[in-house]
């Protein structure tokens, strides 16, 4: 099972950047895709979509979603709020069928450190919304289904730049998962702030990055991530 994640920086399928991102994702053969900052129907073909709530605190633009999940199969049990106190419009969870069985998928877009500081509502201090989001993003509850959590966490893993509280809260949220995109992923020259993590019995057979930089210019301000999952065989 191949899973992809790429923050598209609001590029639509009509832009050359959006077309290139779409082509690279489709070429990976992904069954599940998370696209933070998605504008419209970025992926072509027979996909099923689960989106976060429209209102994420900034002016609403038709067709924009802070988090969009795409699956080759249908979604069920869709949730758009993790818990009270989480900044809105940045979370979606749903269940889908895959080649490795049913999977619960959580898509996130953690606010960047300056969310609503000098833009938007301008009523926040640096890291305030980021920390509030992570406080509400509790460790996933026990489930009979394996879990994949992915999206834009706006922190590298490991992280030496963010405030200690933000680092600790992210570690807590990911405590029961394996982060397959920590450090510098193969194919990239820098740590990613987007991530793909999972619970058992999933293991990463391969993890690769797709650099956003091209000869024509950057496709996004984030690099793409691809993880090929397999099942851990009991000893």
């Amino acid at each position: 099972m191949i899973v992809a994640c790429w923050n598209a920086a609001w590029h639509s399928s009509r832009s050359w950047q959006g077309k290139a991102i779409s082509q690279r994702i489709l070429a990976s053969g992904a069954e599940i895709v998370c696209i933070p900052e998605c504008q419209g129907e970025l992926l072509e073909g027979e996909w099923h979509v689960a989106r976060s709530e429209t209102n994420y605190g900034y002016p609403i633009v038709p067709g924009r979603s802070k988090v969009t999940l795409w699956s080759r199969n249908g979604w069920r049990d869709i949730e758009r709020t993790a818990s009270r106190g989480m900044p809105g419009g940045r979370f979606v969870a749903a269940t889908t069928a895959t080649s490795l069985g049913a999977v619960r998928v959580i898509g996130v877009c953690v606010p960047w450190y300056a969310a609503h500081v000098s833009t938007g509502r301008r009523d926040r201090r640096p890291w305030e919304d980021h920390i509030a989001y992570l406080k509400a993003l509790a460790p996933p509850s026990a489930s009979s289904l394996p879990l994949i959590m992915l999206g834009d966490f706006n922190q590298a893993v490991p992280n030496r730049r963010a405030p200690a509280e933000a680092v600790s809260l992210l570690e807590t949220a990911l405590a029961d998962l394996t982060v397959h995109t920590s450090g510098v992923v193969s194919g990239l020259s820098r740590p990613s702030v987007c991530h793909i993590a999972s619970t058992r019995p999933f293991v990463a057979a391969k993890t690769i990055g797709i650099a956003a930089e091209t000869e024509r210019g950057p496709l996004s301000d984030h690099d793409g991530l691809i993880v090929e999952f397999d099942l851990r065989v009991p000893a």
Side-chain angles (χ1 to χ4, degrees), residues 104-118:
R104 187 67 174 168
V105 183
I106 297 177
V108 306
C109 187
V110 182
W112 74 308
Y113 82 96
H116 296 295
V117 176
S118 59

Side-chain angles (χ1 to χ4, degrees), residues 43-74:
L43 298 183
E44 298 179 353
E46 296 181 357
W47 290 91
H48 299 265
V49 182
R51 302 181 188 277
S52 57
E53 294 176 342
T54 303
N55 186 2
Y56 58 93
Y58 284 79
I60 294 174
V61 177
R64 283 189 173 185
S65 299
K66 264 294 182 180
V67 190
T68 305
L69 297 177
W70 308 71
S71 172
R72 289 297 188 182
N73 299 298

Side-chain angles (χ1 to χ4, degrees), residues 1-36:
M1 175 182 65
I2 296 174
V3 175
C5 178
W6 202 334
N7 184 318
W10 305 125
H11 292 303
S12 74
S13 60
R14 296 187 300 274
S15 68
W16 70 269
Q17 298 98 327
K19 290 177 182 177
I21 289 172
S22 175
Q23 289 169 358
R24 285 160 172 76
I25 289 174
L26 294 174
S28 74
E31 293 183 49
I32 295 172
V33 179
C34 178
I35 303 182

Side-chain angles (χ1 to χ4, degrees), residues 193-209:
V193 296
C194 292
H195 297 289
I196 301 175
S198 72
T199 59
R200 294 182 180 182
F202 289 148
V203 293
K206 183 186 299 183
T207 300
I208 61 173

Side-chain angles (χ1 to χ4, degrees), residues 95-143:
T95 300
T96 190
T98 75
S99 58
L100 296 181
V103 181
R104 187 67 174 168
V105 183
I106 297 177
V108 306
C109 187
V110 182
W112 74 308
Y113 82 96
H116 296 295
V117 176
S118 59
T119 60
R121 296 190 306 269
R122 302 185 183 184
D123 59 357
R124 294 291 187 267
R125 298 182 302 276
W127 294 100
E128 185 174 351
D129 262 14
H130 183 100
I131 287 172
Y133 187 101
L134 291 178
K135 284 182 177 178
L137 187 66
S141 58
S143 171

